Amino acid sequence: MSMSSAGPSHQILKHVHGSIGSSRWLMGSLAMLFLVISACEPVGAPTPIGALPSERQLDWHKLQYYAFIHFGPNTFTDVEWGQGSEDPQVFNPTEFDARQWARVIKAAGMEGVIITAKHHDGFALWPSAFSTHTVRESAWKEGQGDVLRELADACEEFGLKLGVYLSPWDRNHPKYGTDEYNNVFKSMLTEVLTGYGDIFEVWFDGANGEGPDGRKQEYDFPGFAAVVREHQPNAVIFSDAGPDIRWVGNERGYAAETNWSTLNVSEFFPGIGGVNDQLQHGHEDGEAWLPTEVNTSIRPGWFYHADQDDKVKSLDRLIDNWYSSVGRNGNFLLNIPVDARGLIHENDEERLLELKAYLDEAFAENLAPAGNLVATHTRSFRFLESFVVDDDLDTYWASKDDALEASLGVEFNSPTAVNTILLQEYIPLGQRVTGFVVRVLQGDEWTEVASGTTIGNRRIVRWPTVEADAISVELKGKAALTIANLELYKVPER
Ligand code: FUL
């Protein structure tokens, strides 16, 4: 490979590459020298900056893609927002099979499922002792069924995480709009958090409309969160304002390219309107760590409607949503409306499996580890550039404190077709990168192929395929840079 051309990144690579001698003796001596020099340097980790993720948030950041299920009386009455006055007998799936859901969700490569245990109509998918509008009052299994129980069992069998959506807005409950309702809601929450095993996420919708007789309710969100913390301390809580995970500000399935995991949360509350743009981007230097979850539906509606059977999103659209969520510092929550039989519809299943096949092919081979990793410099031997390809997110490359710009590169042994990079910061120390430029070396020429702003937990960028001799990423940040993972792929071009 020719390494003689001009260009800043190239000089960087050349410099670093050139320091790796050919003889073993030289290599050994250099390594010794490196260790001695490194031992004289401060080798500590960079100082954390700004808001930091909690342990439960870090666990959540390891996820990527999971299912949302909207199911309830609306599935049978063909509406999106039930009135709450529906006869509970309408809820009567004819072929209900939670194992089919779990099988499809698992085969789709998803890691878990969040179900509407109670939507705005107030109908509970479990036989709650605090309501008379539940599966117990339905025609299904003559009132003996429990959707949550069957789903929890199926999740355990198939190795899926279970989450619950409980709408505080309740258009049925007789106590809604009175002081007692917040306690009713906490009791119902307690039932689902104590009776169905581990819950990984609790999803609070911000909608706050009128209940029976036009009554309004002020929700005790801090009290609801306290119930979650008491019974499921590892579960993350989602809402417009967290406290753990934030809405991404749209339901189309897109995070913004600039996406800070931090937000000035004291200005926010669940159900706040008119801040979608801020939710989409977050706030640089925001006061709390509050990363984005990107929710959208595989169909136009959240609930099943037979006339949408031919309106399942295209594979290209789902691929775009996947890159625009998982690849833009978010997790992807894709809704699959279970149908009136109580099954995931064949059309949705087919599309989910197509997406899985695409992702399997696209990410089958990480091209980075086979190359030679280089960097403008490393902080010390505890933060080597090779740590970005070691499959361990707890080890990372870091720059020195005074180096707010640095480059990482991969030199291939022979020209390699590449069109995608995946980057991950070491987020336990905060989100630091403010900009990056990706360049490829072809012969003597360095060409910019991609650029971006934030990285955070995970950023994926694609460009038209090039045969590259080497690739470099120039990074800029607001404090010493940390990169825990760098992957390179040739994904199918569509
Ligand atoms: C919204 C709700 O009003 C919709 O019905 C749906 O559940 C969606 C995911 O959240 O706020």
Side-chain angles (χ1 to χ4, degrees):
M1 173 189 352
S2 164
M3 298 296 290
S4 61
S5 80
S9 301
H10 175 239
Q11 295 306 331
I12 289 157
L13 287 172
K14 180 182 172 192
H15 176 77
V16 178
H17 185 65
S19 72
I20 301 170
S22 52
S23 91
R24 280 180 182 208
W25 178 84
L26 184 59
M27 294 266 288
S29 310
L30 284 174
M32 277 301 291
L33 189 63
F34 183 55
L35 284 177
V36 170
I37 293 169
S38 301
C40 305
E41 297 175 354
V43 292
T47 311
I49 59 154
L52 303 176
S54 64
E55 282 301 318
R56 68 171 80 81
Q57 288 171 322
L58 287 171
D59 285 345
W60 175 87
H61 274 298
K62 290 181 187 138
L63 302 174
Q64 297 190 352
Y65 172 40
Y66 36 90
F68 214 6
I69 285 191
H70 278 65
F71 187 48
N74 299 348
T75 310
F76 303 87
T77 54
D78 207 17
V79 299
E80 281 290 314
W81 280 8
Q83 297 294 332
S85 51
E86 294 80 14
D87 183 345
Q89 292 279 317
V90 298
F91 183 84
N92 194 13
T94 48
E95 297 170 50
F96 179 88
D97 185 1
R99 294 183 71 251
Q100 186 256 4
W101 309 1
R103 183 178 56 70
V104 172
I105 290 166
K106 189 76 184 181
M110 295 167 139
E111 297 144 316
V113 51
I114 300 177
I115 184 161
T116 52
K118 174 166 97 85
H119 200 252
H120 309 328
D121 59 16
F123 184 86
L125 292 182
W126 77 102
S128 172
F130 300 91
S131 167
T132 52
H133 197 55
T134 78
V135 279
R136 190 184 50 236
E137 286 73 35
S138 78
W140 180 56
K141 294 193 174 180
E142 296 176 342
Q144 300 302 305
D146 182 342
V147 173
L148 262 193
R149 167 92 294 124
E150 296 202 33
L151 181 57
D153 290 349
C155 283
E156 197 177 330
E157 179 183 343
F158 285 83
L160 293 167
K161 292 177 182 296
L162 176 65
V164 287
Y165 170 130
L166 244 82
S167 168
W169 184 22
D170 191 318
R171 303 174 101 179
N172 171 273
H173 207 284
K175 298 278 192 256
Y176 192 87
T178 71
D179 288 348
E180 272 171 83
Y181 174 77
N182 279 324
N183 288 333
V184 168
F185 187 79
K186 287 178 205 166
S187 300
M188 294 180 88
L189 191 53
T190 302
E191 286 179 324
V192 301
L193 298 179
T194 55
Y196 300 91
D198 284 345
I199 299 293
F200 86 100
E201 178 166 333
V202 179
W203 214 93
F204 287 137
D205 194 79
N208 182 344
E210 294 177 352
D213 307 326
R215 290 196 297 264
K216 293 283 281 182
Q217 174 81 42
E218 198 173 316
Y219 305 136
D220 177 15
F221 274 112
F224 303 164
V227 172
V228 180
R229 295 289 193 247
E230 182 186 348
H231 299 298
Q232 296 279 348
N234 299 325
V236 286
I237 302 174
F238 167 98
S239 83
D240 298 326
D244 299 314
I245 309 298
R246 79 174 194 261
W247 185 46
V248 75
N250 71 83
E251 293 181 337
R252 291 174 292 108
Y254 292 93
E257 291 193 42
T258 299
N259 184 6
W260 291 98
S261 285
T262 48
L263 194 80
N264 288 324
V265 72
S266 56
E267 298 159 19
F268 285 68
F269 54 88
I272 183 178
V275 292
N276 289 1
D277 195 57
Q278 295 181 63
L279 287 170
Q280 213 162 329
H281 293 94
H283 296 134
E284 184 175 352
D285 303 318
E287 58 204 19
W289 189 269
L290 202 59
T292 47
E293 184 180 78
V294 182
N295 65 309
T296 193
S297 185
I298 197 166
R299 292 167 174 237
W302 294 104
F303 283 89
Y304 178 79
H305 308 287
D307 63 0
Q308 294 180 357
D309 282 350
D310 59 353
K311 296 196 172 60
V312 176
K313 280 185 176 147
S314 68
L315 177 59
D316 280 326
R317 172 65 190 270
L318 288 183
I319 289 172
D320 203 35
N321 284 151
W322 190 90
Y323 281 109
S324 305
S325 50
V326 173
R328 288 186 185 168
N329 196 24
N331 283 357
F332 187 22
L333 175 61
L334 179 61
N335 182 64
I336 315 160
V338 163
D339 68 19
R341 294 171 301 173
L343 299 173
I344 291 178
H345 192 274
E346 293 75 359
N347 295 1
D348 306 56
E349 175 178 2
E350 193 182 328
R351 198 51 45 75
L352 290 167
L353 298 183
E354 285 169 15
L355 178 60
K356 173 68 161 62
Y358 167 85
L359 293 172
D360 282 351
E361 185 184 349
F363 296 100
E365 192 193 356
N366 175 9
L367 304 165
N372 181 31
L373 267 291
V374 289
T376 39
H377 73 277
T378 64
R379 185 174 182 85
S380 77
F381 68 90
R382 282 179 51 194
F383 306 99
L384 298 178
E385 58 269 35
S386 58
F387 294 170
V388 303
V389 292
D390 67 358
D391 271 342
D392 181 353
L393 288 178
D394 292 327
T395 64
Y396 55 97
W397 164 84
S399 72
K400 294 183 194 296
D401 285 334
D402 57 0
L404 305 188
E405 292 189 19
S407 292
L408 274 174
V410 179
E411 299 172 343
F412 296 117
N413 297 321
S414 56
T416 300
V418 59
N419 60 15
T420 300
I421 190 165
L422 182 155
L423 292 163
Q424 296 188 269
E425 289 186 69
Y426 182 68
I427 54 172
L429 297 179
Q431 190 173 347
R432 297 152 176 269
V433 173
T434 54
F436 63 93
V437 178
V438 183
R439 294 188 179 87
V440 297
L441 178 68
Q442 294 176 288
D444 293 340
E445 283 282 315
W446 281 98
T447 311
E448 180 178 324
V449 288
S451 64
T453 50
T454 55
I455 294 177
N457 179 50
R458 195 170 43 230
R459 184 80 170 93
I460 305 175
V461 194
R462 290 174 289 170
W463 58 84
T465 308
V466 287
E467 292 275 326
D469 295 314
I471 189 155
S472 86
V473 193
E474 199 178 300
L475 298 153
K476 264 196 297 197
K478 50 183 166 180
L481 301 153
T482 70
I483 296 292
N485 193 27
L486 183 160
E487 299 177 12
L488 296 170
Y489 295 95
K490 183 191 173 300
V491 306
E493 287 195 66
R494 295 180 60 90

